[in-house]
Amino acid sequence: MSITKEWIESDLFDWLKANRYPDLVKSNKQMSRWDCYSPSTTHRIELKCRKKHYETLLLERKKYDSVVDKCNENLDVPVYINSTPEGVYLFNLLLVEPVWEINHRNPATTDFSNTQRVAKEVTYLCINKAVKLL
């Protein structure tokens, strides 16, 4: 499977399971703030697919706090993995020092028919500080 801007999270999950985490399992809760887990590495992973390549990748504070808190409870490693048309990037959130800012350009939901914008607290992670998996 080649990377395209058409990847969705299930494509990224399948690629990670086939190439990086053979024991990868999906979260058992559909609305979980993390998407999957690798028992052998204890990586608790949030996934995101971008249709365009960016030098910095956005992470919402709510997602960051949720995955880090859950990892602290279970002694897991919080990981954020993004795909873009130019690669797959892994961030170990234990090694990230986020700088938070309020971004007012975010859609209220992932339903693109809803054009309402809301403020979200976010950080931007530089891809040059990620592990490039593909």
Side-chain angles (χ1 to χ4, degrees):
M1 177 186 303
S2 64
I3 293 184
T4 73
K5 62 182 178 182
E6 303 306 317
W7 265 21
I8 58 175
E9 285 182 14
S10 61
D11 297 320
L12 179 55
F13 176 91
D14 292 344
W15 185 88
L16 289 168
K17 187 165 179 75
N19 295 283
R20 183 74 179 202
Y21 298 99
D23 64 339
L24 197 63
V25 294
K26 291 181 182 178
S27 168
N28 58 5
K29 295 179 184 174
Q30 184 177 1
M31 298 307 289
S32 175
R33 296 258 185 199
W34 53 275
D35 296 305
C36 48
Y37 181 72
S38 167
S40 65
T41 63
T42 67
H43 286 183
R44 193 168 303 271
I45 305 167
E46 171 65 20
L47 302 174
K48 188 60 82 174
C49 295
R50 305 286 181 196
K51 296 191 182 311
K52 184 178 172 186
H53 182 76
Y54 300 93
E55 292 301 311
T56 58
L57 297 168
L58 180 144
L59 175 59
E60 290 181 42
R61 178 132 199 194
K62 286 180 183 179
K63 290 201 176 210
Y64 173 90
D65 287 345
S66 293
V67 74
V68 168
D69 289 347
K70 184 68 170 176
C71 287
N72 287 339
E73 290 173 19
N74 295 285
L75 301 177
D76 294 331
V77 178
V79 173
Y80 187 48
I81 299 178
N82 272 253
S83 70
T84 79
E86 294 185 21
V88 175
Y89 302 90
L90 180 151
F91 298 90
N92 177 336
L93 296 180
L94 294 176
L95 305 177
V96 169
E97 293 185 32
V99 175
W100 300 106
E101 65 181 70
I102 303 298
N103 177 320
H104 296 276
R105 300 172 300 207
N106 299 288
T109 68
T110 55
D111 173 11
F112 293 107
S113 64
N114 179 353
T115 59
Q116 179 184 0
R117 301 290 176 177
V118 296
K120 292 183 182 179
E121 194 169 13
V122 301
T123 191
Y124 295 92
L125 306 175
C126 294
I127 61 168
N128 62 2
K129 294 186 178 178
V131 174
K132 188 170 182 184
L133 302 178
L134 176 66

